Amino acid sequence: MPIDPYILLLLGTVGVAALFPARGTVADVASGASTAAIALLFFLYGARLSTREALDGLRHWRLHVTVLACTFVVFPLLGLAARGLVPVILTHPLYQGLLFLTLVPSTVQSSIAFTSMARGNVPAAICAGSFSSLVGIIATPLLAASLLGGSGGGFSADSLLKIVLQLLVPFLAGQLLRRWIGGFVTRHKKVLALVDRGSILLVVYTAFSQGMVQGIWHQVSPLRLGGLLVVEAVILAAMLLLTWYGGKALGFGREDRITLQFAGSKKSLAAGLPMASVLFGPQASLAVLPLMLFHQMQLMVCAVIAKRRSHDPRPEVTAPEPATASRTAVGTGTRSG
């Protein structure tokens, strides 16, 4: 059961924010740096994402539409259904974070890695992750506006403007400049990955510092966290079962069902954390907590599933050969007779 080292770094960052939260001028500097980091993140996302690869995958549109439906329709419906657990199991702020979790796009890297491990359709997983990232830039804020409304930090015209300036504009700029900087980004992807992760750590530190200063962590008890974990486990199990058996009902082959299961059941921590910082403001620390927990849970469970799928018997491809040989033998025998 793998423990993502990055989760340990995130938890360490939360601990630092709890012990040494940014205040006063330091908080203002951290907030400005966090805003710049979010813009840089989405600029790099745009520079990395190959629009041509995404468009090339349109020929497999049924699979990609199904993945998008799981990500932006089925997941949010499960999130809305969890509203009945408030306030018995979940507090309202934790529910807002859980609902936000169901609105973010799917992962890219881990979906590809698990699909490859399980011997699924890797090109389709690449396209599915690309489509989900593209759609999520628009769909996640719109869904948050309609489902979260004015709660959980407030979604307003000002929030929409922040999303456009901090997320959409840098992303489009990265796409437009990809022609000239795409090679550089590819050659230095390991270094830029460190920039990505460092930027997200800064966003988490800023968000949790604001939460500590405002005292919102007094709203969370160990019992509530345990309830949140149980609810997330149920949602993950439901999506894993639905994507696997739903893919079979829709007539997808084994490789496509593997892609559907891994791309349609996961949520992106890298995309969700910056979005939450923009959407929730000072309440972002509680909003991202469910996403952080779900991220680790999905990695652990999907790693086990991918390993099991990798041991599935390979499809028999040599069966027609004996029949061909038999027909040849019969034909030869007939001619000799």
Side-chain angles (χ1 to χ4, degrees):
M1 300 285 279
I3 300 296
D4 185 1
Y6 192 53
I7 283 291
L8 299 180
L9 286 175
L10 287 170
L11 293 177
T13 303
V14 172
V16 171
L19 295 174
F20 309 103
R23 301 175 184 272
T25 303
V26 176
D28 294 336
V29 172
S31 178
S34 176
T35 300
I38 292 171
L40 175 62
L41 273 173
F42 279 83
F43 174 80
L44 292 176
Y45 291 161
R48 287 195 194 97
L49 187 59
S50 173
T51 308
R52 178 175 297 177
E53 285 183 359
L55 293 176
D56 288 344
L58 284 175
R59 60 180 178 273
H60 211 359
W61 64 270
R62 286 183 65 247
L63 177 60
H64 300 314
V65 168
T66 306
V67 171
L68 291 176
C70 290
T71 303
F72 297 112
V73 178
V74 180
F75 252 117
L77 289 176
L78 292 176
L80 290 172
R83 178 67 178 84
L85 302 176
V86 180
V88 178
I89 296 178
L90 301 174
T91 63
H92 187 69
L94 284 180
Y95 168 71
Q96 293 292 321
L98 179 70
L99 181 57
F100 173 74
L101 149 71
T102 66
L103 308 181
V104 303
S106 178
T107 61
V108 180
Q109 289 90 346
S110 61
S111 293
I112 296 170
F114 289 135
T115 299
S116 176
M117 185 189 304
R119 295 187 286 112
N121 189 338
V122 175
I126 295 173
C127 292
S130 300
F131 282 135
S132 185
S133 298
L134 284 170
V135 174
I137 295 292
I138 303 297
T140 298
L142 292 179
L143 287 170
S146 59
L147 299 182
L148 292 173
S151 58
F155 190 95
S156 60
D158 183 57
S159 298
L160 184 59
L161 181 61
K162 287 182 179 179
I163 289 167
V164 171
L165 294 179
Q166 293 186 42
L167 307 184
L168 186 57
V169 170
F171 179 83
L172 293 177
Q175 280 280 285
L176 291 174
L177 294 176
R178 175 179 167 77
R179 177 180 177 182
W180 295 279
I181 66 174
F184 175 85
V185 170
T186 301
R187 289 192 302 271
H188 299 85
K189 60 182 179 181
K190 290 185 178 180
V191 175
L192 292 177
L194 296 177
V195 174
D196 280 0
R197 295 195 164 200
S199 299
I200 292 175
L201 291 176
L202 177 59
V203 171
V204 169
Y205 173 76
T206 303
F208 278 82
S209 290
Q210 292 176 336
M212 287 299 301
V213 171
Q214 295 189 2
I216 63 175
W217 279 101
H218 296 297
Q219 305 174 28
V220 183
S221 66
L223 186 61
R224 295 292 190 181
L225 285 178
L228 174 63
L229 284 171
V230 171
V231 174
E232 291 191 337
V234 171
I235 290 177
L236 179 59
M239 291 305 302
L240 288 169
L241 291 171
L242 179 64
T243 50
W244 183 251
Y245 291 104
K248 182 178 181 180
L250 291 173
F252 291 119
R254 176 190 176 278
E255 292 186 351
D256 288 345
R257 289 170 67 193
I258 289 173
T259 300
L260 174 60
Q261 185 173 55
F262 290 128
S265 65
K266 293 207 291 304
K267 291 294 183 175
S268 173
L269 182 72
L273 286 177
M275 288 183 179
S277 179
V278 176
L279 291 170
F280 289 88
Q283 302 293 324
S285 55
L286 281 182
V288 302
L289 181 62
L291 180 59
M292 291 172 60
L293 296 175
F294 190 83
H295 173 79
Q296 179 57 45
M297 186 183 298
Q298 71 186 8
L299 289 183
M300 295 172 69
V301 174
C302 289
V304 173
I305 294 175
K307 188 174 182 180
R308 290 175 63 90
R309 297 264 185 256
S310 68
H311 297 307
D312 289 347
R314 292 182 179 274
E316 190 65 46
V317 296
T318 59
E321 295 181 4
T324 303
S326 175
R327 287 194 297 270
T328 303
V330 171
T332 304
T334 303
R335 289 193 296 270
S336 63

